[in-house]
Amino acid sequence: MLKNTSAAYLLITDQQDLQGLPDSLVNNALQAAKARGMDGWYFTMDYPTVSAFLSQAGNREKRMEMRRIHRSIGMMTPETDNREVLKEIVNLRLEKAQLLGFSSYADKALQGRMAANRETVMDFLNELAATALPAAREDVKEIEEYAQSKGLQEPLASFDIAYYDNQLRQEKYNFDEEALRPYFELNQVKAGVFELAKRLYGLRLVQNEEIQVYHPEVEVYEVYDENNRLLGILYMDFCCRDGKGAGAWTTGFRYQAKNDGENILPLINLVYNFPVPGEDGSSLLSFYDVTTFLHEFGHGMHFLLSNVNYASLSTMGVAMDFVELPSTLMENWAYEKDFLHLFARDYKTGKPLPDETIDRLIEMRTVLNAPGFMGQLQYALLDMGWHTITKPVNTAVGDFENQILKDTHYLAPQPGILISPNFGHLFDNDSYAAGYYSYIWSDAMQADVYGVFKQQGIMSRKTGEAFREKVLSKGASVDPMVLFQDFVGRKPSTEALLKQEGLLKDTN
Ligand SMILES: [Zn+2]
């Protein structure tokens, strides 16, 4: 995949074929061509470039070409064709699982996870697909009708969806997310999130400038509970800088445990890549940044509020299909007026973020979501297909994949395009084999959990305390299914997620 990704490219030589593409992308492509001594515009196959191209390039032929080249990664040349390799991998995984007494690799991998067995995972995915597939077909119909109104003659293809979806959103909703930034100045967002931690969990965060840091930009907070008991230390590393890894993540220098009755305090580090502050010292976040802030803060709460005996059973050891629950749960507050009213004010004028804008944000959250959601389900189903085999696979990879996905299409599949040969999650190491479903699983769990907060008031200290006590404090010391049921009061259901994604209309 790496070889193909770095070798493959789309070269455009006619300026007219660039129509619709943003200047920054075009400039990068021009520089990339120059650097290689080529004339024209050289588009690389990294994901940000490909997705920006597919959602904005007005030239349909070029979109088709981009998609075809990108999708051939993993089978571009005979010596880099992954198809036989991945068959060997799944067959060896099966052999390993059977040596250990399991009937399939999935049965082995699911040990210790919340879903526990493959029947539960399959029922879960199929139940979601039963609602998501018709919804995805509806959304595709809407996009296709829109595309036809814009002159598309051919049936809508996979390489058209992102493009017309993008146009349709802009036209229908005319919503400029960039205009939100002045309302999300970093220090204000931070104050809002800290206030949320106070209301939900009774926490007080006090900056300590004495504690040593790995970089002067890192801020350190002591985290106290309502009884002034120190629970742990939170390191926050907010903005981009040279040499810092991309993205956002939570890590720790030490995890909570008890040693002969003495509580070992967790030292937890949240890392972000927010915009470098301007001359006036203010970093203006996007709405997506705000949800990211909340996401990692949710992981942080899980680590800081852990109250177990052994470090191996603290939050570090939580099952992969449960560990994203506390983090994705926190993202929900970004869509709540009561939360946004705490801090979302124009950093210059102090004017609050208008309620109509918040309404629009909430509305946009569920628009045309079904195709993307169904795509994720396809990935999860394909993963389970490969890892629930009980006999070695002998058929061709393409036939196997088509067989698994045949009833899940919301758009006519394009011949020759395959997912498996470049599905790195499944085959570059074992961690996501029979594990891709866990993204959707923990999302369903958090939507269900959030329903409890919604019911009892999203700022309810009582609900926060119950969640802290019954879920966050337990780390990996109790079966996650038990924790879930203890808090929600029943078994998990897919309904809350389907509603949150806008795939099931709320009948209340
Ligand atoms: Zn996460």
Side-chain angles (χ1 to χ4, degrees), residues 295-296 299 324 327:
H295 181 104
E296 301 307 331
H299 282 306
E324 294 296 332
S327 51

Side-chain angles (χ1 to χ4, degrees), residues 36-52:
R36 289 165 177 84
M38 294 177 175
D39 286 331
W41 294 268
Y42 181 106
F43 293 90
T44 55
M45 289 295 138
D46 61 278
Y47 185 73
T49 300
V50 174
S51 67

Side-chain angles (χ1 to χ4, degrees), residues 439-464:
Y439 287 115
I440 311 169
W441 180 275
S442 32
D443 219 16
M445 299 307 120
Q446 67 75 19
D448 228 351
V449 164
Y450 195 60
V452 178
F453 279 92
K454 279 291 244 191
Q455 224 169 39
Q456 302 177 359
I458 58 141
M459 294 290 184
S460 158
R461 176 77 184 87
K462 200 166 148 261
T463 316

